[in-house]
Amino acid sequence: MPESTHPATEPRVRREVVSFVRRSTRMRPQQLRAWERLRHAYVIEVPRRASSTSVATGHRLDLAGAFGRTAPLIVEIGSGTGESLVAMAAARADANVLAFEVYLPGIARTVSRLHEEQIGNVRLVQADAVAGLTQLLGPSSITELWTFFPDPWPKARHHKRRLVDTAFADLVATGLKSGGSWRLATDWADYADQIRAVLDPHPAFESAAGAPDGWAERLADRPLTRFEQRGLDAGRTVRDLHYRRAC
Ligand SMILES: C[S@@+](CC[C@H](N)C(=O)[O-])C[C@H]1O[C@@H](n2cnc3c(N)ncnc32)[C@H](O)[C@@H]1O
């Protein structure tokens, strides 16, 4: 065989398919100062495996230590700038609310909002929620999970990047307590249909929509976020979904 003409290279590290875009972490100086001052009160640091959104294998969160108490756990995935998180956590003072978000300036904005509103029952982890659920939380530890306006990845060739698929549903099923709720919302009709196609037949979930057509009522105190408004402005219909972990 002829010798390869290609130069010797390091073996390539295969990049996983993730549900988010790696965006700039740049913040304005004022934002950065607030972030440095406030982050320690709200953000839980975790050991990493490789990237800044990964989590070291086998690292479990000490939730009682992080929140300073034991309480039912609500998890939000993709909290963005905290528009839903801050208002909804404020209305659930008896719960510990943990958010996974990858976008650092969004986390910084959330932390500022939490400080302004003097909300003490929220902690954030900068991590891919898939790694967060896999490593950081034990089985049957979550009472309620929120996934509001997950990145839609509208192009067909990007659908594989959508967060909610069967593998992710299996992960959520492991983390949710029996009878625990998974509430979702999206303004992308085909993503809403995809979620139905995954969760309606999933053996670990039953519909808690309460309506014969399978779509849930909007959660009364879920605020109208910038993402939702953008969808409405574009003429899209917002769908709420609600499932329960079957016993
Ligand atoms: C379209 S935004 C919606 C934000 C917020 N839920 C709202 O309704 O305003 C989706 C958010 O999910 C985050 N995200 C996407 N995939 C994620 C993942 N695997 N783990 C954590 N956050 C993720 C993105 O960084 C982004 O901030």
Side-chain angles (χ1 to χ4, degrees):
M1 239 169 94
E3 233 177 48
S4 166
T5 53
H6 295 292
T9 52
E10 290 290 312
R12 280 199 201 193
V13 177
R14 255 195 42 212
R15 287 192 56 181
E16 307 158 60
V17 176
V18 291
S19 64
F20 52 90
V21 187
R22 295 177 201 278
R23 289 180 283 177
S24 162
T25 58
R26 281 241 296 275
M27 290 188 249
R28 293 189 308 276
Q30 193 191 0
Q31 225 184 350
L32 197 59
R33 278 196 296 278
W35 166 243
E36 290 302 347
R37 192 162 45 85
L38 301 173
R39 60 191 289 185
H40 304 289
Y42 300 101
V43 177
I44 307 173
E45 295 298 338
V46 296
R48 308 293 179 180
R49 187 167 53 85
S51 71
S52 59
T53 55
S54 67
V55 177
T57 306
H59 182 78
R60 275 280 152 81
L61 284 185
D62 167 14
L63 289 171
F67 284 92
R69 65 174 186 178
T70 303
L73 181 67
I74 298 176
V75 172
E76 179 168 23
I77 290 176
S79 48
T81 57
E83 286 177 273
S84 306
L85 176 67
V86 173
M88 291 175 66
R92 292 161 181 75
D94 292 343
N96 290 340
V97 185
L98 178 72
F100 291 114
E101 173 53 64
V102 290
Y103 180 49
L104 194 63
I107 297 176
R109 179 75 189 98
T110 306
V111 162
S112 291
R113 286 183 202 266
L114 291 168
H115 178 71
E116 283 156 23
E117 308 277 330
Q118 291 290 292
I119 293 165
N121 64 327
V122 176
R123 299 290 180 272
L124 295 110
V125 177
Q126 187 193 9
D128 179 350
V130 173
L133 292 181
T134 308
Q135 306 297 342
L136 297 176
L137 301 178
S140 306
S141 57
I142 304 169
T143 297
E144 186 161 326
L145 186 82
W146 301 333
T147 313
F148 301 140
F149 302 95
D151 286 321
W153 296 107
K155 292 184 181 152
R157 70 174 189 279
H158 289 148
H159 284 182
K160 60 179 179 294
R161 300 190 66 160
R162 287 178 167 175
L163 181 69
V164 184
D165 61 11
T166 302
F168 188 70
D170 293 346
L171 195 55
V172 170
T174 303
L176 268 181
K177 281 182 193 306
S178 167
S181 276
W182 188 5
R183 293 184 177 274
L184 309 99
T186 179
D187 57 318
W188 288 85
D190 68 327
Y191 200 174
D193 290 341
Q194 173 176 323
I195 295 170
R196 292 282 304 268
V198 168
L199 295 184
D200 284 0
H202 195 296
F205 292 98
E206 54 198 31
S207 174
D213 66 2
W215 302 110
E217 286 285 310
R218 184 197 180 91
L219 190 56
D221 70 338
R222 184 172 66 67
L224 183 69
T225 67
R226 197 165 55 91
F227 284 102
E228 180 167 11
Q229 187 62 59
R230 202 188 284 169
L232 293 172
D233 290 347
R236 293 191 289 269
T237 301
V238 172
R239 292 293 196 190
D240 278 71
L241 301 105
H242 185 193
Y243 292 84
R244 232 177 260 297
R245 175 74 169 93
C247 298

Coordinates of all heavy atoms in Angstrom, one line a residue, residues 18-21 23 76-84 100-103 127-130 147-152 163 225-228, ligand 1:
V18 N -25.4 18.6 20.5 CA -26.0 19.2 21.6 C -27.1 20.1 21.2 O -27.2 20.5 20.0 CB -24.9 20.1 22.4 CG1 -23.9 19.2 23.1 CG2 -24.2 21.1 21.5
S19 N -28.0 20.5 22.1 CA -29.2 21.2 21.8 C -29.0 22.7 21.8 O -30.0 23.4 21.7 CB -30.3 20.8 22.8 OG -30.0 21.2 24.1
F20 N -27.8 23.2 22.0 CA -27.6 24.6 22.1 C -26.5 25.0 21.2 O -25.6 24.2 20.7 CB -27.3 25.0 23.5 CG -26.2 24.1 24.1 CD1 -24.9 24.6 24.1 CD2 -26.5 22.9 24.8 CE1 -23.8 23.8 24.6 CE2 -25.5 22.2 25.3 CZ -24.1 22.6 25.3
V21 N -26.4 26.4 21.0 CA -25.4 27.0 20.2 C -24.3 27.5 21.2 O -24.7 28.1 22.2 CB -25.9 28.2 19.4 CG1 -24.8 28.7 18.4 CG2 -27.1 27.8 18.6
R23 N -22.4 30.2 22.3 CA -22.4 31.7 22.0 C -21.3 32.4 22.8 O -20.8 31.8 23.8 CB -23.8 32.2 22.3 CG -24.8 31.8 21.4 CD -26.2 32.4 21.7 NE -26.8 31.7 22.8 CZ -28.0 32.1 23.4 NH1 -28.6 33.1 22.9 NH2 -28.5 31.5 24.4
E76 N -35.6 23.7 36.2 CA -35.9 24.3 34.9 C -34.7 24.1 33.9 O -33.6 24.3 34.3 CB -36.1 25.9 34.9 CG -36.4 26.4 33.5 CD -36.9 27.8 33.4 OE1 -36.8 28.6 34.3 OE2 -37.5 28.0 32.3
I77 N -35.0 23.7 32.7 CA -34.0 23.4 31.7 C -34.0 24.5 30.7 O -35.1 24.8 30.1 CB -34.2 22.1 31.1 CG1 -33.9 21.0 32.1 CG2 -33.3 21.9 29.8 CD1 -34.2 19.6 31.7
G78 N -32.9 25.3 30.5 CA -32.9 26.3 29.6 C -33.6 27.6 30.1 O -34.6 28.0 29.5
S79 N -33.1 28.1 31.2 CA -33.8 29.2 31.8 C -33.6 30.6 31.2 O -34.2 31.6 31.6 CB -33.4 29.3 33.3 OG -32.0 29.2 33.4
G80 N -32.7 30.6 30.1 CA -32.5 31.8 29.4 C -32.0 33.0 30.3 O -31.1 32.8 31.1
T81 N -32.7 34.1 30.3 CA -32.4 35.2 31.1 C -33.2 35.2 32.4 O -33.2 36.2 33.1 CB -32.6 36.5 30.4 OG1 -33.9 36.6 29.9 CG2 -31.6 36.7 29.2
G82 N -34.0 34.1 32.6 CA -34.6 34.0 33.9 C -36.0 34.6 34.0 O -36.6 34.7 35.1
E83 N -36.6 34.9 32.8 CA -37.9 35.6 32.8 C -39.0 34.7 33.5 O -39.7 35.2 34.3 CB -38.4 35.9 31.4 CG -37.6 37.1 30.8 CD -38.1 37.3 29.4 OE1 -37.5 36.7 28.5 OE2 -39.0 38.1 29.1
S84 N -39.0 33.4 33.2 CA -40.0 32.6 33.8 C -39.5 32.2 35.2 O -40.3 32.1 36.2 CB -40.2 31.3 33.0 OG -40.6 31.6 31.7
F100 N -30.8 24.7 34.9 CA -29.6 24.4 34.0 C -29.7 25.4 32.8 O -30.7 25.4 32.1 CB -29.7 23.0 33.5 CG -29.4 22.0 34.6 CD1 -30.4 21.1 34.9 CD2 -28.2 21.9 35.2 CE1 -30.2 20.1 35.9 CE2 -28.0 20.9 36.2 CZ -29.0 20.0 36.6
E101 N -28.6 26.1 32.6 CA -28.5 27.0 31.4 C -27.1 27.0 31.0 O -26.2 26.9 31.8 CB -29.0 28.4 31.8 CG -28.9 29.4 30.7 CD -29.5 29.1 29.4 OE1 -30.7 28.9 29.3 OE2 -28.7 29.0 28.4
V102 N -26.9 27.0 29.7 CA -25.5 27.0 29.2 C -25.0 28.4 28.9 O -23.8 28.7 28.8 CB -25.4 26.2 27.9 CG1 -25.6 24.7 28.2 CG2 -26.4 26.6 26.8
Y103 N -25.9 29.4 28.7 CA -25.6 30.7 28.2 C -25.2 31.6 29.3 O -26.1 32.1 30.1 CB -26.7 31.3 27.4 CG -26.6 32.6 26.8 CD1 -25.4 32.9 26.0 CD2 -27.6 33.6 26.9 CE1 -25.3 34.2 25.5 CE2 -27.4 34.8 26.4 CZ -26.3 35.1 25.6 OH -26.1 36.4 25.1
A127 N -24.5 24.4 32.8 CA -24.2 23.0 32.2 C -25.3 22.6 31.2 O -26.4 23.0 31.3 CB -24.2 22.0 33.4
D128 N -24.9 21.8 30.3 CA -25.8 21.1 29.5 C -26.7 20.3 30.4 O -26.3 19.4 31.2 CB -25.0 20.2 28.5 CG -25.9 19.4 27.6 OD1 -27.1 19.4 27.7 OD2 -25.3 18.8 26.6
A129 N -28.0 20.5 30.2 CA -29.0 19.8 31.1 C -28.9 18.2 31.0 O -29.2 17.5 31.9 CB -30.4 20.2 30.7
V130 N -28.4 17.8 29.8 CA -28.3 16.3 29.7 C -27.2 15.8 30.6 O -27.4 14.8 31.4 CB -27.9 16.0 28.2 CG1 -27.6 14.5 28.1 CG2 -29.0 16.4 27.3
T147 N -39.6 22.9 30.9 CA -38.9 23.1 29.7 C -39.7 24.0 28.8 O -40.6 23.6 28.1 CB -38.7 21.7 29.0 OG1 -38.2 20.8 29.9 CG2 -37.6 21.9 27.9
F148 N -39.4 25.3 28.9 CA -40.2 26.3 28.2 C -39.5 26.9 27.1 O -38.4 27.4 27.2 CB -40.6 27.4 29.2 CG -41.4 27.0 30.4 CD1 -41.2 27.5 31.6 CD2 -42.4 26.0 30.2 CE1 -42.0 27.1 32.7 CE2 -43.2 25.5 31.3 CZ -42.9 26.1 32.6
F149 N -40.0 26.7 25.9 CA -39.4 27.3 24.6 C -38.0 26.8 24.4 O -37.1 27.5 24.3 CB -39.5 28.8 24.6 CG -41.0 29.2 24.7 CD1 -41.5 29.6 26.0 CD2 -41.8 29.2 23.6 CE1 -42.8 29.8 26.1 CE2 -43.1 29.5 23.8 CZ -43.7 29.8 25.0
P150 N -37.9 25.4 24.4 CA -36.5 24.9 24.0 C -36.1 25.3 22.7 O -37.0 25.6 21.8 CB -36.8 23.4 24.1 CG -38.3 23.2 23.9 CD -38.9 24.4 24.5
D151 N -34.9 25.5 22.4 CA -34.4 25.9 21.1 C -35.1 25.1 20.0 O -35.0 23.9 20.1 CB -32.9 25.8 21.0 CG -32.2 26.9 21.8 OD1 -32.7 28.1 21.8 OD2 -31.2 26.6 22.4
P152 N -35.7 25.8 19.0 CA -36.6 25.0 18.1 C -35.9 24.2 17.0 O -36.5 23.3 16.5 CB -37.5 26.1 17.5 CG -36.6 27.4 17.6 CD -35.8 27.2 18.8
L163 N -33.8 19.2 21.9 CA -33.6 18.6 23.2 C -34.5 17.4 23.5 O -34.1 16.4 24.0 CB -33.8 19.7 24.3 CG -33.6 19.3 25.7 CD1 -32.1 19.0 26.0 CD2 -34.1 20.4 26.7
T225 N -42.7 35.4 27.9 CA -41.3 35.8 27.8 C -41.0 36.4 26.4 O -41.9 36.3 25.5 CB -40.4 34.6 27.9 OG1 -40.6 33.7 26.8 CG2 -40.6 33.8 29.3
R226 N -39.8 36.9 26.3 CA -39.4 37.5 25.0 C -39.5 36.5 23.9 O -40.0 36.8 22.7 CB -38.0 38.0 25.1 CG -37.4 38.9 24.1 CD -36.1 39.5 24.6 NE -35.2 38.5 25.0 CZ -34.2 38.0 24.2 NH1 -34.2 38.4 22.9 NH2 -33.4 37.1 24.6
F227 N -39.2 35.2 24.2 CA -39.2 34.2 23.2 C -40.6 33.9 22.7 O -40.9 33.7 21.6 CB -38.5 32.9 23.7 CG -37.0 33.0 23.7 CD1 -36.3 33.2 24.8 CD2 -36.3 32.9 22.5 CE1 -35.0 33.4 24.8 CE2 -35.0 33.0 22.5 CZ -34.3 33.2 23.6
E228 N -41.5 33.8 23.8 CA -42.9 33.5 23.4 C -43.5 34.7 22.6 O -44.2 34.4 21.6 CB -43.7 33.4 24.7 CG -45.2 33.1 24.5 CD -45.9 32.6 25.7 OE1 -45.4 32.7 26.8 OE2 -47.1 32.1 25.5
Ligands
LIG1 C1 -35.2 29.7 23.3 S1 -34.4 29.9 24.8 C2 -35.8 30.0 26.0 C3 -35.4 30.6 27.3 C4 -36.5 30.6 28.4 N1 -36.9 29.2 28.7 C5 -37.6 31.4 27.9 O1 -38.7 30.9 27.7 O2 -37.4 32.6 27.9 C6 -33.8 28.3 25.1 C7 -32.7 28.3 26.1 O3 -32.3 27.0 26.4 C8 -30.9 27.0 26.6 N2 -30.5 25.6 26.3 C9 -30.6 24.9 25.1 N3 -30.2 23.6 25.3 C10 -29.8 23.5 26.6 C11 -29.2 22.4 27.3 N4 -29.0 21.2 26.8 N5 -29.0 22.6 28.6 C12 -29.2 23.8 29.2 N6 -29.7 24.9 28.5 C13 -30.0 24.7 27.2 C14 -30.4 28.0 25.6 O4 -29.1 28.4 25.9 C15 -31.4 29.1 25.7 O5 -31.1 30.0 26.7

